[in-house]
């Protein structure tokens, strides 16, 4: 079954593990894209043409999904750090529940901030 | 009750059996019923029938459990029984455990200590010292943890949750002097570092040992 | 401490914790108000010493965390573990290229 077996688990923790991997890879690809994107800062025209394309409402869906990936990966990462230091294993269910709520709140807030900044 | 069993004999296929249900009946009882009354060729592993030997771990409705400790009344419609994942299937529900036990042996799961056999004395241990490892000594090597561990699924060499639990259990024993030897083994790149806290092992362990916690505590002792 | 793995593990955790704050700060700086994204503002921000230090550490943490994470994923497979040295070497090289490219971009302002 190979690496597909990373994605077949059913407990909420297994799902969190799977999503951590997927969002991690998405963020890694974004990091590479971001570094390439920043090359455009060498030229005003290029930078402005790129920002006018990407900092826009058409791109909002992607940005919002990226915020979701980032917030989930960050918060879930904090949860993993706590557990990997050997703490709170017995309380892992409520901790995961809080994480889900915080992720959704963070996502909505982050998307709202971005959307407002995009203006009309 | 309908019992769907994933059988394997050269190739894998599902077979359905109708089993009469009695009060207190376990999935293991149902498997015995099938073998004794419906199909004598059905192969499965079982021994103690009381959750101690760890032989009868199978996947029941998608989750690894001990067949002897799973009541049939728990399920409404049908029961799907499959061999546990991440182990090579030999026949029907019987899986190959050689590699699993070899990994267990690798972590030296015994007390390493100097003993004076000429003048033997009792090795005293306080209840507090016992409580440091007691829960981890309950492992019955059923393989449920390794069957759901994502790292065990893709990396054959990974020591896996059960072996690492054993390593932690003996390392925390006040009578043991083999801590350094074991830490050397578990700190290998196929040791504790392959655990990414998917927690699946702790979720399925029939003895509620929390193997994931043992691995992290082992990891913590490696930082010192 | 035994070899690279425990160091990689602890740094993965530390950089992760640091990035939760650094990336939140980065997001709020650039997206709370999009005037901050204008060419002039971006260039002047990257030219200031404080932001240079901030971005330098963000770049350092993010490249380590991202590529060490990728390394962990690859080493979780039989094929990856068999070629552990190659995987470590190749990923280190890619991470260093990404880091130095980012640092080079940063040094231009």
């Amino acid at each position: 079954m190979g690496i597909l077996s990373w994605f077949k688990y059913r407990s909420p923790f297994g799902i969190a593990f799977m999503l951590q991997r997927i969002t991690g890879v998405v963020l890694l690809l974004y990091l590479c894209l971001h570094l390439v994107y920043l090359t455009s800062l060498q030229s005003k025209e290029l930078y402005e043409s790129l920002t006018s394309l990407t900092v826009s409402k058409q791109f909002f869906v992607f940005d919002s999904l990226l915020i979701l990936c980032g917030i989930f990966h960050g918060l879930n990462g904090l949860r993993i750090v706590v557990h990997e230091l050997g703490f709170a294993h017995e309380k892992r269910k409520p901790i995961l529940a809080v994480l889900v709520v915080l992720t959704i709140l963070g996502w909505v807030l982050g998307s709202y901030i971005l959307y407002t900044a995009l203006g009309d | 009750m309908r019992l769907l069993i994933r059988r394997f004999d050269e190739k894998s296929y599902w077979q359905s059996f109708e089993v009469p249900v009695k009060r207190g009946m376990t999935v293991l009882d149902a498997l015995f019923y099938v073998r004794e009354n419906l199909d004598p060729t059905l192969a499965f592993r079982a021994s103690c029938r009381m959750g101690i030997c760890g032989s009868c771990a199978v996947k029941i409705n998608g989750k690894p459990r001990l067949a002897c400790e799973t009541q049939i009344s728990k399920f409404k419609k049908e029961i799907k029984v499959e061999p546990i994942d991440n182990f090579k299937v030999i026949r029907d529900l019987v899986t190959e455990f050689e590699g699993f036990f070899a990994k267990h042996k690798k972590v030296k799961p015994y007390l390493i200590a100097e003993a004076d056999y000429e003048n033997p004395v009792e090795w005293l241990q306080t209840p507090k010292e016992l409580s440091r490892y007691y829960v981890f000594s309950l492992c019955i090597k059923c393989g449920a943890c390794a069957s759901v561990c994502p790292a065990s699924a893709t990396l054959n060499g990974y020591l896996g949750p059960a072996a690492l639990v054993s390593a932690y259990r003996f390392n925390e024993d006040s009578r043991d002097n083999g801590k350094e030897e074991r830490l050397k083994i578990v700190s290998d790149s196929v040791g504790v570092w392959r655990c990414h806290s998917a927690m699946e092992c702790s979720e399925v362990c029939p003895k509620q040992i929390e193997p994931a916690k043992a691995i992290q505590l082992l990891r913590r002792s490696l930082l010192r | 401490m035994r070899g690279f793995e425990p160091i990689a593990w602890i740094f993965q955790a530390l950089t992760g914790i640091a990035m939760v704050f650094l990336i939140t700060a980065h997001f709020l700086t650039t997206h709370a108000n999009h005037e901050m994204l204008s060419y002039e503002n971006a260039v002047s921000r990257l030219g200031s010493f404080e932001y240079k230090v901030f971005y330098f550490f963000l770049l350092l943490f993010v490249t380590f965390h991202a590529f060490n994470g990728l390394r962990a994923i690859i080493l979780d497979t039989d094929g990856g573990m068999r070629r552990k040295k190659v995987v470590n070497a190749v990923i280190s090289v890619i991470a260093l290229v990404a880091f130095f490219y980012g640092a080079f971009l940063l040094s231009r302002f």
Side-chain angles (χ1 to χ4, degrees):
Chain A
M1 204 164 163
I3 61 167
L4 285 180
S5 53
W6 291 339
F7 310 121
K8 71 178 179 191
Y9 300 104
R10 299 248 180 87
S11 88
F13 307 98
I15 295 169
F17 160 80
M18 168 188 91
L19 292 174
Q20 188 75 356
R21 286 235 144 142
I22 294 171
T23 53
V25 172
V26 168
L27 292 169
L28 170 72
L29 294 175
Y30 177 72
L31 165 70
C32 298
L33 268 180
H34 197 50
L35 283 176
V36 172
Y37 188 104
L38 290 178
T39 312
S40 69
L41 273 169
Q42 307 296 317
S43 133
K44 188 174 185 320
E45 293 74 40
L46 184 61
Y47 177 77
E48 282 178 348
S49 66
L50 269 179
T51 45
S52 68
L53 176 73
T54 56
V55 186
S56 64
K57 291 208 164 149
Q58 287 80 11
F59 258 71
F60 175 72
V61 178
F62 299 114
D63 289 331
S64 181
L65 285 175
L66 188 68
I67 291 172
L68 178 61
C69 285
I71 286 182
F72 173 81
H73 195 88
L75 292 177
N76 191 46
L78 290 182
R79 179 185 74 92
I80 294 174
V81 170
V82 170
H83 290 325
E84 291 207 345
L85 290 172
F87 301 113
H89 277 251
E90 295 76 11
K91 295 192 177 69
R92 62 179 180 276
K93 277 208 171 92
I95 290 177
L96 188 66
V98 170
L99 170 107
V100 171
V101 173
L102 287 180
T103 301
I104 293 169
L105 285 178
W107 180 36
V108 171
L109 182 66
S111 301
Y112 174 76
I113 291 173
L114 182 68
Y115 194 81
T116 335
L118 284 172
D120 294 316
Chain B
M1 176 75 87
R2 201 157 81 103
L3 195 65
L4 261 173
I5 302 177
R6 190 169 184 84
R7 307 204 48 182
F8 178 84
D9 187 7
E10 289 182 354
K11 62 180 189 339
S12 171
Y13 60 98
W14 287 96
Q15 195 173 359
S16 165
F17 300 96
E18 205 54 50
V19 179
V21 179
K22 280 189 204 150
R23 199 179 147 85
M25 192 171 174
T26 63
V27 173
L28 183 61
D29 292 332
L31 291 174
F32 273 117
Y33 179 89
V34 171
R35 187 154 77 183
E36 283 160 14
N37 301 287
L38 304 172
D39 187 346
T41 66
L42 177 67
F44 58 89
R45 215 186 252 132
S47 181
C48 75
R49 307 184 192 207
M50 52 197 282
I52 296 176
C53 75
S55 304
C56 67
V58 283
K59 218 158 83 176
I60 303 172
N61 285 4
K63 190 181 170 185
R65 311 168 207 249
L66 296 179
C68 69
E69 291 210 318
T70 309
Q71 292 283 317
I72 278 197
S73 56
K74 211 180 158 91
F75 307 101
K76 285 192 181 79
K77 275 202 220 125
E78 59 174 27
I79 301 173
K80 274 184 172 176
V81 186
E82 300 167 72
I84 48 174
D85 291 334
N86 301 348
F87 287 85
K88 190 179 157 230
V89 181
I90 300 171
R91 210 182 121 183
D92 296 344
L93 302 173
V94 179
T95 45
E96 175 65 84
F97 260 60
E98 213 162 274
F100 179 80
F101 290 137
K103 285 172 192 168
H104 183 236
K105 276 185 199 146
K106 219 175 183 175
V107 301
K108 309 196 174 193
Y110 40 81
L111 288 179
I112 298 173
E114 289 287 320
D116 182 358
Y117 291 105
E118 298 298 314
N119 309 293
V121 284
E122 273 186 273
W123 279 345
L124 298 178
Q125 192 163 55
T126 64
K128 203 177 164 198
E129 285 168 334
L130 174 71
S131 71
R132 288 181 69 86
Y133 68 84
Y134 174 69
V135 68
F136 301 112
S137 72
L138 298 177
C139 175
I140 54 174
K141 322 291 177 289
C142 66
C145 53
S147 81
V148 290
C149 169
S152 297
T154 49
L155 183 61
N156 249 328
Y158 175 46
L159 285 172
L164 293 171
V165 163
S166 278
Y168 184 73
R169 176 254 173 274
F170 283 97
N171 269 10
E172 286 304 302
D173 196 317
S174 57
R175 301 163 296 181
D176 182 78
N177 288 322
K179 204 172 168 148
E180 276 309 309
E181 284 175 51
R182 272 185 225 102
L183 286 182
K184 207 171 161 208
I185 298 161
V186 302
S187 67
D188 189 84
S189 50
V190 290
V192 289
W193 314 113
R194 297 276 67 78
C195 169
H196 307 292
S197 299
M199 303 282 177
E200 292 284 323
C201 54
S202 295
E203 286 294 299
V204 301
C205 175
K207 293 287 166 189
Q208 282 93 42
I209 285 177
E210 305 261 345
K213 185 179 173 181
I215 299 173
Q216 310 322 326
L217 293 174
L218 208 49
R219 220 192 281 226
R220 198 157 81 183
S221 51
L222 280 166
L223 286 182
R224 286 190 206 118
Chain C
M1 289 274 197
R2 294 158 174 84
F4 179 64
E5 291 289 355
I7 298 170
W9 172 61
I10 207 75
F11 273 95
Q12 189 75 358
L14 291 176
T15 53
I17 296 168
M19 280 192 311
V20 168
F21 298 101
L22 295 183
I23 291 180
T24 307
H26 176 55
F27 174 80
L28 291 175
T29 316
T30 48
H31 292 294
N33 178 349
H34 278 163
E35 272 171 33
M36 291 304 279
L37 284 180
S38 75
Y39 184 77
E40 289 72 22
N41 278 333
V43 167
S44 82
R45 196 166 63 244
L46 287 167
S48 86
F49 177 73
E50 292 81 5
Y51 272 107
K52 262 205 168 85
V53 172
F54 172 80
Y55 282 123
F56 177 80
F57 279 106
L58 182 57
L59 176 69
L60 183 68
F61 292 166
V62 93
T63 42
F64 174 82
H65 191 92
F67 287 99
N68 188 47
L70 180 67
R71 188 183 75 93
I73 294 178
I74 296 172
L75 289 186
D76 271 358
T77 62
D78 283 320
M81 190 52 87
R82 256 199 311 277
R83 303 172 191 90
K84 191 173 78 178
K85 282 189 178 149
V86 179
V87 171
N88 284 343
V90 170
I91 294 216
S92 305
V93 169
I94 301 174
L96 284 172
V97 167
F99 172 73
F100 282 112
Y101 184 66
F104 163 75
L105 288 178
L106 207 52
S107 72
R108 304 274 292 169
F109 299 98

